[in-house]
Amino acid sequence: SLSLLRSEVTQLLRMKERGEAVKTVESAARTIKDRVGVQLLLADTFDTLGRKEDVARVLHDLVKAEAQSAHAWSALARLQSRNKNFEKMEESLRRVIRLEPQALKDKARLATVLGKNGKPREAAALFGELADASHSDVVALNNAAMLYAGELNDSGRAIDYAERAYELAPSNTAIMD
């Protein structure tokens, strides 16, 4: 099973058996039916080993082979975020939302990247949709507050989002900006 495989790989990595960890995941890919899960584990393993090119290769191959997997596209979006490729990240997150409309965390990530990509009105609409769905992602609420306080110049909305974020996590120093 995938959970047993994940445990085995984690143990191998702790024991510094890096090559064996990769071989174990690659071998399991031939027997475990959850292709997406195994490939995501392989990408995670490469990421742990600092093999960024291999992470990118695995994720790109995965979305080509499993174009209908929201999990694969979401993982690719995380990689694109780390690489600061926000235009591609936006495309990947839009794909996730088309495949899985209730993926609230990915909607929050999309709203944030829309703001970074110079689309504040679209970001604001998505943040509003999330807020209406009683979304409790503190970072998303904080990002909405910053968007409204800055580019959209709506201090009332900015304060509303900031207060909601603070109510959810009053001791979170990341939202106290």
Side-chain angles (χ1 to χ4, degrees), residues 1-157:
S1 82
L2 189 57
S3 61
L4 289 174
L5 177 62
R6 185 176 302 281
S7 296
E8 183 179 352
V9 169
T10 300
Q11 185 64 26
L12 287 167
L13 290 170
R14 281 191 192 128
M15 295 172 18
K16 308 280 190 227
E17 296 288 338
R18 296 176 169 153
E20 193 60 33
V22 172
K23 286 180 192 172
T24 299
V25 179
E26 290 175 333
S27 173
R30 293 185 283 277
T31 59
I32 294 178
K33 291 186 190 248
D34 182 359
R35 181 183 186 330
V36 173
V38 172
Q39 293 303 308
L40 290 176
L41 177 58
L42 182 59
D44 287 345
T45 303
F46 284 139
D47 193 40
T48 299
L49 299 174
R51 293 171 55 179
K52 293 179 182 179
E53 295 82 18
D54 289 320
V55 174
R57 177 186 50 78
V58 168
L59 292 177
H60 282 98
D61 289 350
L62 182 58
V63 296
K64 284 179 190 168
E66 302 288 338
Q68 298 303 309
S69 170
H71 293 297
W73 285 103
S74 183
L76 182 59
R78 283 191 297 279
L79 173 68
Q80 292 161 335
S81 175
R82 283 197 305 264
N83 293 337
K84 303 213 181 314
N85 189 343
F86 299 120
E87 288 79 21
K88 289 288 185 185
M89 181 185 178
E90 178 184 335
E91 291 173 22
S92 294
L93 289 171
R94 286 184 187 280
R95 189 72 162 270
V96 171
I97 303 310
R98 275 195 304 275
L99 293 168
E100 202 169 298
Q102 298 308 312
L104 297 181
K105 284 241 182 244
D106 288 305
K107 278 187 180 181
R109 291 171 55 212
L110 177 57
T112 299
V113 82
L114 286 168
K116 288 180 182 187
N117 288 348
K119 301 173 183 174
R121 299 238 179 265
E122 193 176 351
L126 197 49
F127 278 129
E129 181 183 321
L130 289 165
D132 292 344
S134 67
H135 187 58
S136 59
D137 184 328
V138 174
V139 174
L141 291 168
N142 186 62
N143 289 346
M146 293 188 328
L147 179 70
Y148 276 102
E151 288 186 57
L152 295 176
N153 199 24
D154 184 339
S155 59
R157 277 236 168 108

